[in-house]
Amino acid sequence: MDVMNPSSPSRVVRVLPESVLLSTGCACPTGLQLVVPLELFENPTVELYAAAFGYTTTVLDRMTARGDNLVVITAEADSEVGIATDAALAGLLRDLRPEEGTFSDIEVAEALNTLAGRAGSRIRQVQRALQNVFGIRDPLFGQPRFASQRWADRRLMAPFYLDEKIDMEAIEETGNPLLPGSALQLDAYPSMPLVQRLRWTAESS
């Protein structure tokens, strides 16, 4: 399979804290959302779902201590779903969220390919912008999760895709699907998603 042009998934998943879902009604703050193909989750566990979106066991322990859980949302992918490449994320940052900083394709590629703890000040700045806009958590940096022409032969692990769940009414004024508040409510999806609570207990660790 060409990692730059893999077949588009028909169903995708997102993982987020249940408290966030209950307070917003949305799977993501923005209408352009990073998702993972459902087909990659055969015999899934809480740890597998959590790791795919950068939630460590330490984070799960803290969530449980405050009475929160993760939820996984399985939904039909938009017809325009596409593989999340470093160049695509860089272009979206420049075009739709320039207030986060102006970063080159190379800088975004390096940020995605560098462990958070080993990033210099400039690359760490890029990583923070990627976190602010796309919700990429620290453990995901330095992992082969995003396609890139720079490493076209690299085997991707649970690659991310960009799915569109855009609330067109919410972006009539801005026209920007990467601003917070631009995502569809779950009950407005064309096909109702499946929402499952992922309980994390001491027995899970």
Side-chain angles (χ1 to χ4, degrees):
M1 177 185 291
D2 183 347
V3 299
M4 294 302 294
N5 295 287
S7 58
S8 295
S10 60
R11 292 178 68 78
V12 293
V13 301
R14 272 193 61 80
V15 169
L16 73 159
E18 185 175 20
S19 58
V20 174
L21 177 61
L22 292 175
S23 65
T24 67
C26 298
C28 183
T30 62
L32 292 179
Q33 308 176 2
L34 289 177
V35 296
V36 177
L38 174 64
E39 64 196 37
L40 298 179
F41 293 96
E42 295 182 15
N43 304 314
T45 62
V46 178
E47 295 96 329
L48 184 62
Y49 276 128
F53 285 84
Y55 292 91
T56 64
T57 55
T58 299
V59 170
L60 294 178
D61 287 340
R62 290 173 183 165
M63 289 178 62
T64 299
R66 62 175 184 262
D68 206 352
N69 298 282
L70 286 181
V71 292
V72 58
I73 298 172
T74 304
E76 296 290 339
D78 186 84
S79 61
E80 298 298 318
V81 67
I83 189 76
T85 68
D86 48 17
L89 298 191
L92 289 169
L93 271 177
R94 287 193 297 268
D95 292 344
L96 299 179
R97 296 293 299 274
E99 74 279 5
E100 292 289 341
T102 303
F103 308 114
S104 68
D105 288 5
I106 292 176
E107 287 176 317
V108 171
E110 289 295 336
L112 293 171
N113 201 53
T114 303
L115 294 172
R118 297 183 181 177
S121 60
R122 175 62 175 178
I123 294 304
R124 189 59 182 152
Q125 183 183 359
V126 183
Q127 290 179 342
R128 291 194 182 98
L130 291 166
Q131 288 178 320
N132 292 340
V133 176
F134 296 104
I136 299 172
R137 302 179 66 83
D138 272 354
L140 299 178
F141 293 118
Q143 305 299 322
R145 304 294 303 280
F146 297 89
S148 174
Q149 287 289 6
R150 299 187 75 196
W151 302 283
D153 59 346
R154 180 172 60 187
R155 183 175 182 274
L156 294 179
M157 176 183 68
F160 278 107
Y161 284 71
L162 273 168
D163 190 28
E164 295 187 6
K165 291 293 184 289
I166 301 170
D167 182 348
M168 298 308 296
E169 292 185 6
I171 64 168
E172 280 183 355
E173 293 185 10
T174 65
N176 191 336
L178 266 184
L179 286 177
S182 62
L184 275 178
Q185 296 276 312
L186 290 192
D187 58 11
Y189 280 26
S191 176
M192 282 301 292
L194 174 65
V195 180
Q196 298 169 281
R197 178 184 289 114
L198 303 175
R199 293 191 181 278
W200 176 255
T201 64
E203 288 74 22
S204 301
S205 55

